[in-house]
Amino acid sequence: MKLMLKGGGGLLLVFLIAAGYWYYRPGSEFSPREVIEMSSLEDRRRSYRMMETVYPSSPIAAPRLRTAFARDLVDLDLRYEWLGQPRTFDDYIDQRKVQGILVLKDGVVRYERFFGEAEPDDRFTSWSVAKSVVATLIGIALGEGRIGSLDDRVSQYASEYEETDYGDTSIRHLLMMSSGIDFNENYEEPGADIRKLFFNTFLLNRDVDRVVRQFTRNRPAGEDFDYISSNTQVLSAVLRGAYDRPLIETMNEKLSIPLGLTGGSWLTDRQGAAKKELGYCCLQLTLEDYAKLGQLYVQDGVVGETRIIPEGWRSFVSTPPRASHKPKGEGRLGYGHHFWLIGGQPGSFTMQGYDGQYVHIDPAERVVIVIASADRTMDFTKPREFPPLFKRIKEELRSTEASLASGN
């Protein structure tokens, strides 16, 4: 019996040592301890400014020529109504834990504020704003002939998805968020697929495509709207195959250098040469660099005399492909092709990320609105608060413009 107890104690000791080694991961730049501690924080404002120090990442190139917008700041009276109650932007800041806002009009910064410890040079996490960046790169690849057709199957470009349901899905259906793949995107539900995806990639260091390829279809593709992050990760694999190189290299050549971004990072599944960027989330950029991505769409994909995004792509991404994707009323959200739409604000579209990250684009108004938040109060059963806020910002900018034109 004593030998059995000694043996059991030895096994327990080995287990505890192994668990401690896994948790702290000595000798590695990143550890599960940091990831778990960050994810358990209620106030994540600081965390969302330093994601690249906790998670592995790839650097976004800072080109020799970095651009900056001119500034001509004005005061905006941002009072609006939400759920029948009067609100102010200060209310929104307090409740949504806003870290910063930057508003462009005609390519000029007209409104800019930072809150708490946040500063203009800070890089804020994008969460799913990155999905719209991946869609932008898909448009560029299509325009360059790297992708022959949006109706091509994934397996034509991404060999890692051959003989899977994702491999037999069209690029178009992924952009529509209509893959028919069975995947639970509920971030707050224990055991949800999106939580397992984070656990497998960030804590177990597993290849993200190996994790995603296991998911299967439970209904026909192209028939409904079902927003899931795995769709965008597969689009990332399509881009890697189309250009035969890592996603970050395509990001740098096609967007960072032409737009004059100031640098940043894109989180990856692992460290080392085999790592892959997580296309479904997690860019780290300044608000001004996010605004450059939005301004590219205001300018219909043209920078100077160079067309970066193919003609017609702006209209494509901002058009709901089916009735299931249309907004269901004023202030309600709909979906185009990896961009969100707002009911009652026709022609506008939004890059949107978890916990209140937004790059709102309104080509007709020539406006881009960027907000970075750490909002843990999101209630998806209610109409979202940002649509009436964005509408009010644009109304105030119009009023300011009219007042200046009249000399008042």
Side-chain angles (χ1 to χ4, degrees):
M1 176 65 76
K2 290 182 178 179
L3 288 174
M4 291 178 64
L5 289 173
K6 287 182 178 178
L11 288 173
L12 177 61
L13 179 61
V14 170
F15 172 79
L16 291 174
I17 292 172
Y21 186 88
W22 171 82
Y23 187 68
Y24 290 99
R25 202 168 287 167
S28 173
E29 189 177 351
F30 306 97
S31 70
R33 176 189 64 82
E34 295 172 299
V35 173
I36 292 169
E37 288 179 358
M38 176 180 279
S39 65
S40 65
L41 293 172
E42 183 58 32
D43 186 345
R44 301 183 182 179
R45 282 174 287 190
R46 182 171 180 271
S47 300
Y48 286 0
R49 300 194 306 273
M50 53 177 290
M51 296 273 282
E52 64 222 315
T53 68
V54 175
Y55 298 89
S57 63
S58 295
I60 291 174
R64 187 174 302 171
L65 180 62
R66 305 180 194 184
T67 62
F69 294 113
R71 279 164 168 75
D72 184 9
L73 301 181
V74 297
D75 290 327
L76 300 179
D77 180 8
L78 300 182
R79 290 176 289 181
Y80 57 97
E81 187 175 288
W82 180 59
L83 299 178
Q85 298 297 318
R87 297 277 288 176
T88 69
F89 186 43
D90 286 338
D91 296 329
Y92 187 94
I93 293 165
D94 292 340
Q95 183 173 351
R96 309 297 178 188
K97 289 186 167 59
V98 176
Q99 303 213 68
I101 180 172
L102 187 150
V103 180
L104 290 179
K105 172 82 171 184
D106 293 320
V108 176
V109 178
R110 301 292 276 157
Y111 191 74
E112 183 180 28
R113 293 174 66 188
F114 292 87
F115 311 98
E117 298 177 352
E119 298 179 351
D121 289 337
D122 284 336
R123 291 169 180 157
F124 303 88
T125 191
S126 71
W127 289 117
S128 290
V129 166
K131 289 181 171 68
S132 301
V133 176
V134 167
T136 302
L137 293 172
I138 288 286
I140 293 171
L142 183 69
E144 293 179 345
R146 294 280 185 164
I147 292 173
S149 168
L150 294 183
D151 295 312
D152 287 347
R153 294 297 187 262
V154 164
S155 58
Q156 293 179 233
Y157 304 91
S159 60
E160 55 267 67
Y161 286 97
E162 287 179 353
E163 299 181 357
T164 69
D165 283 355
Y166 260 128
D168 193 39
T169 304
S170 72
I171 297 169
R172 184 183 305 276
H173 288 157
L174 295 179
L175 288 169
M176 290 168 55
M177 288 292 180
S178 299
S179 65
I181 295 291
D182 186 12
F183 185 95
N184 183 344
E185 184 77 8
N186 189 336
Y187 304 98
E188 310 304 332
E189 181 180 319
D193 294 317
I194 188 62
R195 293 171 71 96
K196 292 178 183 176
L197 182 58
F198 265 71
F199 180 83
N200 278 288
T201 52
F202 288 133
L203 300 183
L204 299 185
N205 267 356
R206 290 180 177 165
D207 180 291
V208 65
D209 291 304
R210 284 184 175 272
V211 177
V212 170
R213 62 174 277 126
Q214 69 183 308
F215 294 103
T216 57
R217 203 182 330 276
N218 64 359
R219 60 202 185 282
E223 292 193 353
D224 65 358
F225 169 61
D226 184 28
Y227 178 92
I228 56 176
S229 290
S230 52
N231 288 345
T232 315
Q233 189 57 43
V234 177
L235 286 174
S236 300
V238 168
L239 284 165
R240 291 198 310 268
Y243 285 99
D244 192 26
R245 62 185 181 185
L247 177 63
I248 193 68
E249 292 182 16
T250 302
M251 169 69 182
N252 286 336
E253 180 190 341
K254 305 301 179 182
L255 290 176
S256 182
I257 292 173
L259 297 181
L261 303 189
T262 58
S265 63
W266 203 328
L267 298 195
T268 63
D269 57 354
R270 295 164 292 164
Q271 302 175 64
K275 67 185 178 182
K276 298 174 182 176
E277 288 71 39
L278 301 179
Y280 65 90
C281 80
C282 308
L283 288 164
Q284 294 286 136
L285 298 172
T286 65
L287 292 198
E288 184 159 350
D289 282 346
Y290 284 120
K292 292 171 188 174
L293 294 167
Q295 185 65 19
L296 176 62
Y297 275 94
V298 168
Q299 295 169 186
D300 196 20
V302 177
V303 175
E305 297 181 355
T306 303
R307 175 164 289 282
I308 294 175
I309 302 174
E311 190 173 1
W313 188 254
R314 182 177 74 180
S315 176
F316 173 75
V317 299
S318 59
T319 300
R322 295 179 61 89
S324 56
H325 292 61
K326 293 180 179 179
K328 303 301 189 292
E330 176 84 20
R332 295 285 185 169
L333 300 187
Y335 206 74
H337 295 86
H338 265 52
F339 285 78
W340 293 90
L341 314 175
I342 300 177
Q345 299 185 42
S348 66
F349 48 107
T350 307
M351 308 178 187
Q352 182 175 321
Y354 180 60
D355 281 357
Q357 326 310 323
Y358 305 106
V359 181
H360 179 69
I361 303 154
D362 194 322
E365 299 276 359
R366 309 178 307 284
V367 167
V368 176
I369 303 169
V370 182
I371 290 181
S373 306
D375 181 10
R376 305 291 296 146
T377 66
M378 206 77 77
D379 184 349
F380 294 99
T381 66
K382 296 180 179 178
R384 306 292 286 277
E385 186 172 0
F386 73 86
L389 170 61
F390 289 176
K391 185 176 181 180
R392 180 61 179 168
I393 288 172
K394 290 184 283 189
E395 289 172 348
E396 277 290 289
L397 288 173
R398 283 199 305 271
S399 175
T400 298
E401 195 172 61
S403 178
L404 289 173
S406 65
N408 293 330

